[in-house]
Amino acid sequence: MKKQIFNDLTAQTLFESEETQTKPKGVLKILRGCVADFKPNRNGRVYPRKLWENVINSEYYKDMIKNKTLFGEADHPEERLELSLQNVSHAIDKIWIDEARDQVWATIHILDTPLGHTVANLVEYGSHLGVSSRGAGEVKRDGSVDPDSYRFMTIDLVCRPSVAAARPAVIVEGEDPNANYISDEELNSILGNYSSNS
């Protein structure tokens, strides 16, 4: 199998903006939400659970998290897999598998960088940005990405995710830490409105 470099836009539900949480120095906003699931996306690719388990348990991920250098960019680079410091808009603080939702979730810090300010302004404007994993690996005949060959780099923020419903909404957190979670009915309503308008 030929190894491919690819970027995939894989968020499935809503992001939450944690406005009331104490933000670390250099952070404009904190987002938290789904960044992937285990279903086929618009590109026909499936990122299985084992792939994300490998990512979370990898030395690369652990080292980047420990050193606060798992940066991402606003939009994908055209033909570059590596990270570029001058293009950083955010940092991934943590990635985990949310067992209850059967999804991959992350906490993302929008940074006080030129592109971070662009992203923060878009969020303030009300833009529902998508997310996209960036990596390289082999794609099997069934469309699934081989977990053992996949090389994860980061998660980027994008305008149009490969999954039609993957437009995370930013929800301002209130005093109640559970207030920023929306019900399944609200989520289906939002996604239904999106689908009917696309």
Side-chain angles (χ1 to χ4, degrees):
M1 286 182 269
K2 185 178 179 183
K3 185 170 279 195
Q4 297 178 342
I5 293 177
F6 48 81
N7 300 311
D8 258 314
L9 319 178
T10 55
Q12 290 296 304
T13 62
L14 303 179
F15 266 85
E16 302 141 6
S17 175
E18 298 178 338
E19 295 290 350
T20 61
Q21 177 174 324
T22 303
K23 295 187 281 288
K25 188 174 181 179
V27 174
L28 301 175
K29 291 191 174 295
I30 299 175
L31 304 177
R32 183 181 65 230
C34 178
V35 296
D37 68 7
F38 315 117
K39 303 172 187 173
N41 65 20
R42 192 182 325 211
N43 296 329
R45 294 194 194 105
V46 175
Y47 290 76
R49 174 183 286 265
K50 184 176 187 307
L51 180 148
W52 284 105
E53 289 171 347
N54 289 353
V55 167
I56 293 166
N57 292 314
S58 71
E59 288 305 315
Y60 170 81
Y61 169 79
K62 291 175 184 176
D63 181 62
M64 298 295 268
I65 292 294
K66 175 184 172 185
N67 291 296
K68 294 183 175 278
T69 55
L70 186 51
F71 299 123
E73 300 178 29
D75 271 333
H76 278 313
E78 286 294 320
E79 296 181 10
R80 172 173 49 81
L81 189 61
E82 295 75 20
L83 296 167
S84 167
L85 287 179
Q86 67 183 357
N87 295 319
V88 165
S89 62
H90 62 279
I92 293 85
D93 181 62
K94 181 180 178 184
I95 301 172
W96 70 97
I97 294 176
D98 185 308
E99 298 294 345
R101 294 175 174 89
D102 200 32
Q103 297 170 332
V104 181
W105 277 48
T107 302
I108 296 174
H109 291 171
I110 307 303
L111 300 177
D112 188 3
T113 65
L115 289 175
H117 279 273
T118 298
V119 169
N121 286 334
L122 293 172
V123 168
E124 289 288 335
Y125 174 68
S127 298
H128 297 167
L129 300 175
V131 294
S132 168
S133 60
R134 191 192 321 173
E138 296 173 359
V139 180
K140 298 179 179 179
R141 290 181 191 218
D142 65 0
S144 65
V145 179
D146 176 36
D148 297 321
S149 72
Y150 184 69
R151 180 179 165 215
F152 171 79
M153 291 304 296
T154 193
I155 295 170
D156 293 318
L157 295 169
V158 296
C159 288
R160 187 170 191 268
S162 66
V163 177
R167 289 193 180 275
V170 177
I171 301 169
V172 176
E173 182 180 40
E175 293 301 322
D176 177 0
N178 295 319
N180 57 349
Y181 289 95
I182 66 169
S183 70
D184 288 340
E185 290 174 3
E186 292 171 304
L187 172 61
N188 289 335
S189 173
I190 290 168
L191 297 180
N193 289 340
Y194 173 75
S195 296
S196 64
N197 293 327
S198 58

